[in-house]
Amino acid sequence: SWTSRNLDAVTGFYVPDGQIVINHGEPRVGSDATAAMAEGFCTEFPDLVVHCALAPLAGHQGVFVLMREVHHAETDRYVRIGGWEEWELNGDRKVVQSRGWFDANEYDRQVNGKAS
């Protein structure tokens, strides 16, 4: 759904009042907030490709390990950054809560061309 830029498909993985938090940031709660977050990613990275490396589920818990390969819209720099999301799922396997993680310093280095 990310790679297709289908925001309805992205938000369709969440319950209507689901939430996502990325790197201890502000929680985004509800379908509108999830759609706005997804739209922001798609705007910042118009050629966004998300590769799923692993997605194990255990009852109402899941982990989505991913790799993003993109070009940043403003800097046109190629960015390849991994991360994961820890999911709490409901009985229909919709995301109730997601905690996402990626290396923000590495992201900044790649987007802005700064030496690490």
Side-chain angles (χ1 to χ4, degrees):
S1 57
W2 281 104
T3 301
S4 71
R5 288 155 195 70
N6 182 337
L7 303 182
D8 289 336
V10 172
T11 59
F13 283 103
Y14 289 80
V15 297
D17 62 345
Q19 79 169 16
I20 184 168
V21 176
I22 301 171
N23 285 357
H24 291 296
E26 290 296 316
R28 294 172 175 94
V29 180
S31 297
D32 290 344
T34 303
M37 179 269 309
E39 185 175 20
F41 269 102
C42 291
T43 300
E44 188 172 3
F45 304 108
D47 62 348
L48 177 66
V49 175
V50 177
H51 301 282
C52 175
L54 186 67
L57 301 175
H60 293 286
Q61 304 299 318
V63 177
F64 176 54
V65 180
L66 59 106
M67 179 63 65
R68 294 177 192 93
E69 294 187 78
V70 299
H71 287 87
H72 191 266
E74 289 183 25
T75 66
D76 198 37
R77 293 188 180 274
Y78 174 76
V79 177
R80 186 171 192 269
I81 195 86
W84 69 91
E85 293 182 26
E86 303 165 12
W87 293 334
E88 179 183 329
L89 306 169
N90 72 3
D92 295 325
R93 296 228 165 140
K94 299 278 187 173
V95 177
V96 174
Q97 184 178 48
S98 174
R99 289 168 299 282
W101 307 96
F102 70 96
D103 185 333
N105 291 329
E106 178 61 15
Y107 166 86
D108 188 54
R109 184 192 71 76
Q110 290 184 37
V111 167
N112 297 304
K114 296 177 181 174
S116 54

